Amino acid sequence: MSFKSAVITFPGSNCDRDALCYLKDLTKGEVHNIWHEETSLPKVDLVILPGGFSFGDYLRSGAMASKSKIIDEVVKHANDNRYLLGICNGFQILTEIGLLEGALIRNKKLKFLGKNCFIKKKFKNNFNLSIKDNQILQIPVAHNEGNFYCDTETLNLLKNNEQIAFEYCKGEFSNTEENINGSIEAIAGITNKKKNVLGMMPHPERAYSDFHQSQDGRLIIESLIS
Amino acid sequence: MNEELILQHGLTLDEFQVIRKYLNRDLSIEELGIFSAMWNEHCCYKTSKKWLKKLPTDNEIVIQGPGENAGVIDLQDNDGIAFKIESHNHPSYIEPFNGSATGVGGILRDIFTMGARPIATLDSIRFGLIETEKTKYLLNGVVHGIGHYGNCIGIPNIGGECEFESTYDFNNLVNAMAVGHVQKDKIFYSKPKSIGGLIVYIGSKTGKDGIHGASMASDVFSEEDEDEKRPSVQVGDPFMEKLLMEGCLELMSSGLIESMQDMGAAGITSSSVEMASKGNVGVYINLDKVPLRQPLSAYEILLSESQERMLAVIDKKNNHKVREILQKWQIDYEVIGEITDTKRVVFESNNKKVVDLPVEIIVDDAPEYDREFYIPRKRKNKDFDFSKIKLEDMIINLLTNLNYLDKSWVFDQYDSTVMGDTIREPGQSSGIVKIHGTQKVIGASTDCNPLYIRINPYEGMKYTVAESYRNLIACNINPLAITNNLNFASPLDPNIMGELVLSIHGLKTAAVKFNTPIVSGNVSLYNQTNEIPIKPTPVIGMVGSNMDLNKINTNKFCEIGNKILILGKQLTKNCSPYLLQDQKIAFNICEFNDLEGLDLDFEKKIANCVLELSDLKCIMSCNDISRGGIFSALLKMQYKDMGFRVKVPDPIDLFCEYSAGYVIEIRSRDFEEVTSFLTKKGAEYLEIGEIIKEGIEINSKKFDYFDIMNKYRNDFEKIIS
């Protein structure tokens, strides 16, 4: 059976087209684009909340998008044990909805960070099945608020439940940073307890095509489809 | 009308008399405001027009040359590329964050007004010496502003330049360039199609920001002015622009609008007057209908430069549908007037005509000056003393000069991979993006060599165009067309006017030879503060293409063991201006020798060799040689801890500038093929060495690779903080 997916577009989303291409090219299945004011969501295997500046990041990144009409449906989709992936601003929205723990605060240097970063998987889940332990992935980041933060109690829960999906690491060559944005324990992506919802700051949809600098972003979709 | 009021509006008394005589009546204050906005340099090019007319603006691929919101070139099939560069110098000096942000916003609107989706931006930014706190503040603010706007709207920033020189201490430059993709049969123009069409206002509400921005941009600064001028800097909202862009592109692709004009400099005045002039029609606008953020007078509405606003003409029958689409994007929309057959510009406020002027007097009768200019004196050539300079010192001089260091600190604050089509990011010789859904790529580069142009405006400008050209060639991008941003000091000084005239002449010569017409551009004059003029800084943005993304070159080393070849002709050490300046051999501008004349045929010949060798897949990586010579080019090519071992007759040769200079990396097994190809073409080459692991070796002298690389990569941030 073919893999079905959808991408939600909020006003100010700017990676929605990229996410749609990523899904179309890699899943070869049906892909829907859903406007935030819709009140129903087709039955799909995966929903992506894309990157961007939903509602201009006004109030707080992701805060206003988390109150959009479509969000009830997105929550239902997650509660149905289907996959939900929030990338960058999508990750911020997921923490604002409360589907994921913690918060994303400003990068340690208080500046936007747009560059390649290196990550590896921490705990196994369905989003990173195809990635080998200690395999270093090169994937771009582009964010102002990507510094993952939570209290110690939450951090322990995330660890005990093996909810940390990705962490930043050094690349193969000199002059790469271990923890580019100051995230607690270099966390780059976490899942919910059931591990069907993933939020991550790096953009796998910018690292999959032959002409991209890296094709490591494919591994996430390949993991879900396998 | 009293003289003071006229002068305050930036008009000369002579100019005022022309208007007064034509109208044969007194002007309303609103009308005076309109002339103030439309007759300044920024809008009517009164000083530069005579010379700009001489530029080549057309060839077989030009779809739209200068005169529209952006130029458009043909990229085969149904693909067109719209692009333009524009300055936001003065606003960025007064308020660096908002000044630069709205510079990006303005240029993006120019692109999507043409019906094109922006696919890349570049920025050419120049600051004074970093030793002053002011420069640090400006640098931080400008980079933050550019990033804030471009990142939010989601257009990748793929390159540009960032330079530091004392000449910009009190007058930094911010030139923003944008490139867009348009379907050739869906290009939109500002010319309205039918009498009776509704004039509609789309976008943000009008506020007090930016009132008199355009005339401020044509003003000479003094330092005390800064605080006073701050209210005329516009404030940008990239989120609103994103909505506006999506809304407008949707309207255009659904065929609901006839024409569109961005409300940029001089706001509603300029956009409506231009619409009327282009269509040879009249406009009637009721200012009471304009959506306002706060109560404003008619005068203020006419001159406000509030951002994120568009003026469009629609057929009456589409009114409802247009409103529906814009409501989805939560954008303000109001019918404010209509296209008339009067050939007059009429603005009404409170049931009173506050402006009623023939379009002709505003546009066609705008002043055009033939200002006096001097041609610089011929320089006497002399030999400089290089005996005391050591290789180690030369390297240190580069590594302690911001202009040579890796500028990731700047570029990392920009999103360069959004839209998923980026192929070469900032920091390479040219930025490259793919045309979505095709195999075609677009490359773009911005350049200027102010020192060269200061020494010899004509030859210096040829070098500037050639540098942009080389930047594209090095990536195997075929150069196609140019946009320019002519930044100069006051043209009232005949020496500066001479720089303007001669550099335009140089631009023309090079553009004709390279068959790269100038399709859009911008002029920024009066770049001086406290009577200190900036060096002439006519910035070039060059765009090119390759129809096959698999054929483009990288600028980064590929493989250890590969050979390094040099193409082109070295300028002598006595005639390498940046070598003399940056190695602290010449200090005063009058000391420099004249430039060696640039042989443009030679540039073309070598460029064709690089393109052909690239297509033969013989070039593994390639970089052009510019400021800092071969050494600096090699430093930029380092990648994945690969370095170089080179041998040259004289180490100074590594720092000399070049004409048609390229560093190419080739595999040993291709050496025969490449060198016999070059010999056949009559192109001299120099084999200087090879790529090695984690090392830098010059004439058998070993340098600490990681020490040099750490300085190169990380000292920029240390120096500027």
Side-chain angles (χ1 to χ4, degrees), chain B residues 193-218:
Chain B
K193 285 180 192 148
S194 55
I195 306 290
L198 298 181
I199 299 176
V200 300
Y201 176 111
I202 301 171
S204 291
K205 293 184 169 61
T206 297
K208 273 193 177 176
D209 41 346
I211 290 176
H212 276 315
S215 41
M216 169 190 77
S218 309

mmCIF file of all heavy atoms in Angstrom, chain B residues 193-218:
data_model
loop_
_atom_site.group_PDB
_atom_site.id
_atom_site.type_symbol
_atom_site.label_atom_id
_atom_site.label_comp_id
_atom_site.label_asym_id
_atom_site.label_seq_id
_atom_site.Cartn_x
_atom_site.Cartn_y
_atom_site.Cartn_z
ATOM 1 N N LYS B 193 -3.788 48.610 -18.742
ATOM 2 C CA LYS B 193 -4.263 48.246 -20.080
ATOM 3 C C LYS B 193 -5.486 49.046 -20.527
ATOM 4 O O LYS B 193 -5.638 49.341 -21.701
ATOM 5 C CB LYS B 193 -4.581 46.752 -20.136
ATOM 6 C CG LYS B 193 -3.309 45.907 -20.189
ATOM 7 C CD LYS B 193 -3.637 44.422 -20.232
ATOM 8 C CE LYS B 193 -2.384 43.585 -20.000
ATOM 9 N NZ LYS B 193 -2.668 42.340 -19.327
ATOM 10 N N SER B 194 -6.397 49.365 -19.579
ATOM 11 C CA SER B 194 -7.654 49.945 -20.068
ATOM 12 C C SER B 194 -8.077 51.165 -19.265
ATOM 13 O O SER B 194 -7.867 51.238 -18.052
ATOM 14 C CB SER B 194 -8.750 48.886 -19.992
ATOM 15 O OG SER B 194 -8.824 48.395 -18.675
ATOM 16 N N ILE B 195 -8.686 52.112 -19.964
ATOM 17 C CA ILE B 195 -9.284 53.254 -19.285
ATOM 18 C C ILE B 195 -10.463 52.729 -18.461
ATOM 19 O O ILE B 195 -11.197 51.858 -18.922
ATOM 20 C CB ILE B 195 -9.815 54.280 -20.325
ATOM 21 C CG1 ILE B 195 -8.708 54.669 -21.313
ATOM 22 C CG2 ILE B 195 -10.446 55.488 -19.648
ATOM 23 C CD1 ILE B 195 -7.608 55.506 -20.756
ATOM 24 N N GLY B 196 -10.625 53.247 -17.274
ATOM 25 C CA GLY B 196 -11.741 52.795 -16.435
ATOM 26 C C GLY B 196 -11.372 51.661 -15.492
ATOM 27 O O GLY B 196 -12.165 51.262 -14.640
ATOM 28 N N GLY B 197 -10.160 51.138 -15.645
ATOM 29 C CA GLY B 197 -9.711 50.086 -14.731
ATOM 30 C C GLY B 197 -9.635 50.629 -13.307
ATOM 31 O O GLY B 197 -9.329 51.807 -13.103
ATOM 32 N N LEU B 198 -9.934 49.785 -12.339
ATOM 33 C CA LEU B 198 -9.894 50.246 -10.950
ATOM 34 C C LEU B 198 -8.455 50.238 -10.429
ATOM 35 O O LEU B 198 -7.708 49.291 -10.664
ATOM 36 C CB LEU B 198 -10.732 49.330 -10.051
ATOM 37 C CG LEU B 198 -12.220 49.234 -10.356
ATOM 38 C CD1 LEU B 198 -12.899 48.305 -9.335
ATOM 39 C CD2 LEU B 198 -12.877 50.615 -10.326
ATOM 40 N N ILE B 199 -8.106 51.291 -9.729
ATOM 41 C CA ILE B 199 -6.801 51.313 -9.064
ATOM 42 C C ILE B 199 -7.020 50.802 -7.651
ATOM 43 O O ILE B 199 -7.844 51.346 -6.906
ATOM 44 C CB ILE B 199 -6.210 52.736 -9.026
ATOM 45 C CG1 ILE B 199 -6.000 53.242 -10.456
ATOM 46 C CG2 ILE B 199 -4.895 52.759 -8.246
ATOM 47 C CD1 ILE B 199 -5.501 54.669 -10.532
ATOM 48 N N VAL B 200 -6.313 49.732 -7.300
ATOM 49 C CA VAL B 200 -6.537 49.145 -5.978
ATOM 50 C C VAL B 200 -5.255 49.176 -5.148
ATOM 51 O O VAL B 200 -4.147 49.091 -5.671
ATOM 52 C CB VAL B 200 -7.088 47.704 -6.077
ATOM 53 C CG1 VAL B 200 -8.417 47.698 -6.814
ATOM 54 C CG2 VAL B 200 -6.098 46.781 -6.750
ATOM 55 N N TYR B 201 -5.476 49.308 -3.874
ATOM 56 C CA TYR B 201 -4.396 49.391 -2.885
ATOM 57 C C TYR B 201 -4.346 48.040 -2.188
ATOM 58 O O TYR B 201 -5.348 47.549 -1.679
ATOM 59 C CB TYR B 201 -4.766 50.506 -1.921
ATOM 60 C CG TYR B 201 -3.839 50.730 -0.739
ATOM 61 C CD1 TYR B 201 -3.060 51.891 -0.675
ATOM 62 C CD2 TYR B 201 -3.781 49.846 0.329
ATOM 63 C CE1 TYR B 201 -2.246 52.133 0.425
ATOM 64 C CE2 TYR B 201 -2.964 50.077 1.417
ATOM 65 C CZ TYR B 201 -2.202 51.224 1.466
ATOM 66 O OH TYR B 201 -1.397 51.467 2.544
ATOM 67 N N ILE B 202 -3.154 47.422 -2.169
ATOM 68 C CA ILE B 202 -3.008 46.096 -1.571
ATOM 69 C C ILE B 202 -1.861 46.133 -0.566
ATOM 70 O O ILE B 202 -0.776 46.599 -0.904
ATOM 71 C CB ILE B 202 -2.677 45.042 -2.656
ATOM 72 C CG1 ILE B 202 -3.784 44.987 -3.718
ATOM 73 C CG2 ILE B 202 -2.462 43.670 -2.040
ATOM 74 C CD1 ILE B 202 -3.423 44.133 -4.926
ATOM 75 N N GLY B 203 -2.105 45.651 0.648
ATOM 76 C CA GLY B 203 -0.994 45.508 1.592
ATOM 77 C C GLY B 203 -1.166 46.308 2.870
ATOM 78 O O GLY B 203 -2.265 46.691 3.249
ATOM 79 N N SER B 204 -0.022 46.565 3.504
ATOM 80 C CA SER B 204 -0.022 47.222 4.816
ATOM 81 C C SER B 204 -0.713 48.575 4.780
ATOM 82 O O SER B 204 -0.721 49.256 3.754
ATOM 83 C CB SER B 204 1.408 47.472 5.272
ATOM 84 O OG SER B 204 2.023 46.276 5.569
ATOM 85 N N LYS B 205 -1.202 48.986 5.929
ATOM 86 C CA LYS B 205 -1.784 50.314 6.038
ATOM 87 C C LYS B 205 -0.676 51.366 5.969
ATOM 88 O O LYS B 205 0.483 51.096 6.267
ATOM 89 C CB LYS B 205 -2.532 50.437 7.369
ATOM 90 C CG LYS B 205 -3.763 49.556 7.462
ATOM 91 C CD LYS B 205 -4.500 49.805 8.770
ATOM 92 C CE LYS B 205 -5.852 49.162 8.805
ATOM 93 N NZ LYS B 205 -5.841 47.695 8.681
ATOM 94 N N THR B 206 -1.080 52.569 5.593
ATOM 95 C CA THR B 206 -0.118 53.649 5.444
ATOM 96 C C THR B 206 0.095 54.372 6.773
ATOM 97 O O THR B 206 -0.870 54.713 7.463
ATOM 98 C CB THR B 206 -0.623 54.638 4.380
ATOM 99 O OG1 THR B 206 -0.695 53.937 3.138
ATOM 100 C CG2 THR B 206 0.311 55.822 4.227
ATOM 101 N N GLY B 207 1.364 54.577 7.105
ATOM 102 C CA GLY B 207 1.693 55.297 8.329
ATOM 103 C C GLY B 207 2.673 56.412 8.027
ATOM 104 O O GLY B 207 2.914 56.738 6.857
ATOM 105 N N LYS B 208 3.268 56.940 9.076
ATOM 106 C CA LYS B 208 4.142 58.094 8.876
ATOM 107 C C LYS B 208 5.564 57.724 8.460
ATOM 108 O O LYS B 208 6.363 58.612 8.173
ATOM 109 C CB LYS B 208 4.222 58.916 10.177
ATOM 110 C CG LYS B 208 3.107 59.935 10.274
ATOM 111 C CD LYS B 208 3.363 60.936 11.368
ATOM 112 C CE LYS B 208 2.253 61.971 11.368
ATOM 113 N NZ LYS B 208 2.327 62.941 12.425
ATOM 114 N N ASP B 209 5.866 56.437 8.453
ATOM 115 C CA ASP B 209 7.268 56.083 8.219
ATOM 116 C C ASP B 209 7.715 56.382 6.798
ATOM 117 O O ASP B 209 6.991 56.211 5.839
ATOM 118 C CB ASP B 209 7.572 54.622 8.581
ATOM 119 C CG ASP B 209 6.485 53.667 8.142
ATOM 120 O OD1 ASP B 209 5.382 54.127 7.802
ATOM 121 O OD2 ASP B 209 6.751 52.452 8.131
ATOM 122 N N GLY B 210 8.951 56.844 6.721
ATOM 123 C CA GLY B 210 9.578 57.031 5.422
ATOM 124 C C GLY B 210 9.146 58.282 4.691
ATOM 125 O O GLY B 210 9.443 58.440 3.513
ATOM 126 N N ILE B 211 8.433 59.165 5.363
ATOM 127 C CA ILE B 211 8.048 60.382 4.647
ATOM 128 C C ILE B 211 9.307 61.130 4.245
ATOM 129 O O ILE B 211 10.183 61.387 5.062
ATOM 130 C CB ILE B 211 7.085 61.243 5.502
ATOM 131 C CG1 ILE B 211 5.757 60.501 5.569
ATOM 132 C CG2 ILE B 211 6.916 62.635 4.892
ATOM 133 C CD1 ILE B 211 4.721 61.124 6.440
ATOM 134 N N HIS B 212 9.423 61.387 2.954
ATOM 135 C CA HIS B 212 10.601 62.037 2.366
ATOM 136 C C HIS B 212 11.822 61.141 2.301
ATOM 137 O O HIS B 212 12.922 61.614 2.174
ATOM 138 C CB HIS B 212 10.977 63.320 3.120
ATOM 139 C CG HIS B 212 10.183 64.482 2.646
ATOM 140 N ND1 HIS B 212 9.986 64.729 1.315
ATOM 141 C CD2 HIS B 212 9.521 65.458 3.318
ATOM 142 C CE1 HIS B 212 9.242 65.811 1.193
ATOM 143 N NE2 HIS B 212 8.928 66.260 2.376
ATOM 144 N N GLY B 213 11.621 59.833 2.342
ATOM 145 C CA GLY B 213 12.760 58.916 2.230
ATOM 146 C C GLY B 213 13.524 59.105 0.939
ATOM 147 O O GLY B 213 14.747 59.154 0.930
ATOM 148 N N ALA B 214 12.810 59.231 -0.166
ATOM 149 C CA ALA B 214 13.502 59.311 -1.461
ATOM 150 C C ALA B 214 14.308 60.594 -1.579
ATOM 151 O O ALA B 214 15.401 60.604 -2.126
ATOM 152 C CB ALA B 214 12.509 59.218 -2.610
ATOM 153 N N SER B 215 13.773 61.694 -1.027
ATOM 154 C CA SER B 215 14.578 62.904 -1.149
ATOM 155 C C SER B 215 15.712 62.904 -0.135
ATOM 156 O O SER B 215 16.774 63.458 -0.374
ATOM 157 C CB SER B 215 13.725 64.176 -1.047
ATOM 158 O OG SER B 215 12.760 64.069 -0.056
ATOM 159 N N MET B 216 15.512 62.186 0.985
ATOM 160 C CA MET B 216 16.623 62.040 1.925
ATOM 161 C C MET B 216 17.765 61.273 1.275
ATOM 162 O O MET B 216 18.934 61.599 1.451
ATOM 163 C CB MET B 216 16.172 61.286 3.173
ATOM 164 C CG MET B 216 17.322 60.871 4.064
ATOM 165 S SD MET B 216 16.811 59.763 5.367
ATOM 166 C CE MET B 216 16.635 58.236 4.512
ATOM 167 N N ALA B 217 17.413 60.264 0.494
ATOM 168 C CA ALA B 217 18.437 59.426 -0.137
ATOM 169 C C ALA B 217 19.237 60.224 -1.158
ATOM 170 O O ALA B 217 20.248 59.768 -1.641
ATOM 171 C CB ALA B 217 17.795 58.210 -0.800
ATOM 172 N N SER B 218 18.790 61.394 -1.494
ATOM 173 C CA SER B 218 19.527 62.197 -2.464
ATOM 174 C C SER B 218 20.165 63.406 -1.781
ATOM 175 O O SER B 218 20.466 64.405 -2.405
ATOM 176 C CB SER B 218 18.583 62.683 -3.566
ATOM 177 O OG SER B 218 17.862 61.611 -4.093
#
